Amino acid sequence: MTKYLLLDIDDTIAPSMYRGVDAIEIETWGRGHLAIPKYIVEWVKLFSKKETQSIWWCTDRSNETTQIEKQLPLKVEGKLMFTKPPKGFWKKQAAIIRFAEEHPKDTVICADNDCDLMKSDKLPDNLHLVIPTGAIRALSKDDLIEIDNLSSIY
């Protein structure tokens, strides 16, 4: 069984306008400031190296995902595409649910600051939502521990 992490960028791993002393700056070629706290970068690197764990981008910021992958040694498996949602669904939610349904025996974790927009009564049992709780509008160290501890044992 695999643990899939569907990972958002803005206000999840990269706080808005973050300039902390531990900031890892990502070159965006003039498309705005993007920095990720070092503790998140180190954790994501470790997560991506484990054979039974897989990171997928869950963002519409494809230019930034490309830059992050080029500048940091991360193993990212793919990107969710946000197309053709069922009526009444947020496009991103539809893609997340579809991904979880395509991987029913695996653990699917969506780390996204907008997870609270999802209709929680329609989520697959193997899908776990992690909304960042960090004071800097990003995943906290406790959030990362929670992701590490999630499994598909029900």
Side-chain angles (χ1 to χ4, degrees):
M1 292 196 282
T2 301
K3 182 188 289 188
Y4 291 98
L5 177 60
L6 310 180
L7 191 58
D8 184 36
I9 296 176
D10 57 313
D11 295 332
T12 300
I13 64 168
S16 179
M17 301 306 289
Y18 186 66
R19 302 208 190 277
V21 295
D22 66 337
I24 308 291
E25 301 283 334
I26 304 298
E27 177 58 58
T28 62
W29 306 109
R31 288 188 295 271
H33 177 78
L34 182 65
I36 305 171
K38 185 176 182 175
Y39 74 91
I40 293 175
V41 170
E42 296 303 319
W43 181 87
V44 171
K45 283 180 187 178
L46 289 174
F47 187 96
S48 73
K49 288 180 183 178
K50 295 182 182 172
E51 284 187 32
T52 60
Q53 298 184 158
S54 178
I55 296 177
W56 286 68
W57 290 119
C58 187
T59 181
D60 57 5
R61 297 177 66 174
S62 62
N63 291 333
E64 285 85 349
T65 62
T66 301
Q67 290 304 106
I68 292 169
E69 289 176 45
K70 283 181 181 177
Q71 295 175 49
L72 303 176
L74 301 178
K75 184 178 126 193
V76 178
E77 301 295 327
K79 298 176 187 173
L80 262 64
M81 303 306 290
F82 310 140
T83 57
K84 298 186 182 177
K87 186 176 181 178
F89 275 82
W90 174 40
K91 277 198 249 184
K92 197 173 195 179
Q93 177 178 342
I96 292 164
I97 290 171
R98 188 169 39 254
F99 188 93
E101 288 173 344
E102 290 170 355
H103 300 88
K105 296 192 185 282
D106 300 309
T107 300
V108 178
I109 303 159
C110 180
D112 190 326
N113 63 305
D114 291 326
C115 278
D116 58 345
L117 299 174
M118 296 181 77
K119 298 176 183 177
S120 59
D121 60 330
K122 301 193 187 284
L123 301 180
D125 290 339
N126 64 326
L127 176 59
H128 305 273
L129 305 178
V130 177
I131 300 170
T133 63
I136 58 170
R137 292 184 53 184
L139 291 168
S140 67
K141 291 178 181 177
D142 288 339
D143 297 332
L144 302 178
I145 291 168
E146 178 185 345
I147 291 169
D148 283 335
N149 290 334
L150 285 169
S151 69
S152 50
I153 299 171
Y154 301 107

